[in-house]
Amino acid sequence: MRVKIVSAGLFSIMLALVAGGCSSGGDETLDLGESGSTVVVAKGGNSPHFDPDVIKVPVGREVTFTFKNEDTVAHNFIVSYIGVEVEAQPGQSVPVTLTAPDKGTLNFYDSKFQGEGMAGKIEVE
């Protein structure tokens, strides 16, 4: 019986780590329907990415957040479907305002680094 308890405990720890305890850059979610952080960051280095790379927004409501470039080269934030495109120079922060017209998923990306994985999604609820 004691072995089962230890096994269940280890399983719970492993499940917690897989579910979110071991996150790497760019795999968190920003929920713009709630209060809290309002910054999407462009990060460079060996694997350029957005942090977070998932943004949740309410359908039909205008939301504004800050796009901050922490890299040493210019980055842009583009959501083609709704005509959003901003660029931030190294160290610069710029506001992004958007309204998602329909429920579903929109893609955002950096046109210069999309091929290296610098992309994400907007979940419209």
Side-chain angles (χ1 to χ4, degrees):
M1 185 70 166
R2 185 160 173 79
V3 172
K4 289 182 183 177
I5 293 171
V6 171
S7 295
L10 288 175
F11 178 75
S12 296
I13 291 169
M14 289 174 30
L15 184 60
L17 290 173
V18 169
C22 289
S23 63
S24 60
D27 57 1
E28 294 183 15
T29 299
L30 171 63
D31 190 339
L32 293 176
E34 301 174 356
S35 61
S37 176
T38 57
V39 178
V40 174
V41 179
K43 300 211 176 212
N46 293 333
S47 61
H49 63 278
F50 291 105
D51 188 17
D53 62 354
V54 177
I55 303 170
K56 290 185 179 182
V57 302
V59 67
R61 191 171 103 199
E62 183 177 277
V63 295
T64 300
F65 59 92
T66 300
F67 174 55
K68 181 178 181 182
N69 184 356
E70 292 185 351
D71 200 0
T72 58
V73 299
H75 285 284
N76 54 42
F77 181 95
I78 299 172
V79 186
S80 298
Y81 183 74
I82 55 176
V84 171
E85 183 172 347
V86 299
E87 181 166 294
Q89 296 301 314
Q92 184 181 25
S93 294
V94 295
V96 177
T97 300
L98 60 89
T99 303
D102 305 307
K103 289 185 178 185
T105 301
L106 301 173
N107 296 313
F108 64 88
Y109 59 92
D110 180 313
S111 63
K112 300 171 202 158
F113 296 93
Q114 182 179 13
E116 295 177 46
M118 195 160 190
K121 63 182 179 175
I122 298 173
E123 296 175 354
V124 185
E125 303 171 331

